[in-house]
Amino acid sequence: MKTKKVLLLITSLVLVMAVLTGCKIKNYDKALIDINNGEDKITLGYANFVFKYNQAKYDINYGETYGASLWTEDMTGSGQTFTDEMKDNLVDTMEQQYVMRKHADEYGVKLTDEDNKKIDDATQKFLKDNTASALNALGADESVVKEFFTNLTYVAKMQQAMTDKGKAEGAINDSTTSSTYINNLVEGWKSAYTFKVDDDLLKELKVDDLFSQVGGSSSNSTTTNSSSATKSASK
């Protein structure tokens, strides 16, 4: 799993985290990321949900190989534990998603009735498929889960629209990939915003020891296909 940068496993699959238990994170509604000096925010509660969602995905995919050491060692040569690296990448990803949604109108990106139905279906499936204790530990109320799938849908549609425009204008070519083109645009957009991360709140994002809870195997945490919130976005 040696990569230059961790790619968050944010997908349209619904996780069934049957072994996840715990209390709702404190400071749920506080701004983990303050945007433009109080103009907007990304809450700790939302970040906690995405963080634990991704943690469970990594445990499912790599738990058999690495066990709990996955989160306490430098897995990618970054000089950080994998936990801290995922936190940094989580912050960056949420900021990117935020600005991409802000620029959606420029690309004619809007959610269709079909998109909204798929988002609603994925949200309800997630809430139905996970236990009450798991949902509580995730802070996974309907609004947070729906926001998660909404962000995924916007990003998928924006990536497609940006790629189409870049190719039409010749900005995406043999020397510039679509991912590089999109990343450069998004980083430019981000420079117009002031993002301030509360480092003390960031420390409250904790890795749950799911690996040991399932007896050295991640088999009790499974994934099931949902009505994809982003399936139509890439078409």
Side-chain angles (χ1 to χ4, degrees), residues 66-93:
Y66 297 103
S69 66
L70 172 65
W71 303 103
T72 58
E73 296 182 6
D74 178 1
M75 303 300 293
T76 67
S78 68
Q80 299 174 290
T81 65
F82 194 62
T83 297
D84 288 338
E85 188 172 3
M86 192 169 82
K87 286 183 183 182
D88 287 347
N89 287 326
L90 172 66
V91 167
D92 187 53
T93 297

Side-chain angles (χ1 to χ4, degrees), residues 158-210:
M158 278 292 286
Q159 287 175 333
Q160 185 62 58
M162 294 165 74
T163 297
D164 291 344
K165 184 175 181 181
K167 288 181 177 179
E169 295 177 348
I172 297 174
N173 47 51
D174 292 339
S175 60
T176 304
T177 64
S178 58
S179 59
T180 299
Y181 171 75
I182 291 171
N183 185 67
N184 289 341
L185 273 179
V186 173
E187 290 303 310
W189 293 341
K190 283 178 62 177
S191 66
Y193 295 82
T194 300
F195 294 101
K196 184 177 180 182
V197 179
D198 189 321
D199 290 329
D200 288 333
L201 288 181
L202 190 61
K203 293 176 183 177
E204 294 190 23
L205 297 181
K206 306 291 186 183
V207 168
D208 289 291
D209 190 5
L210 301 183

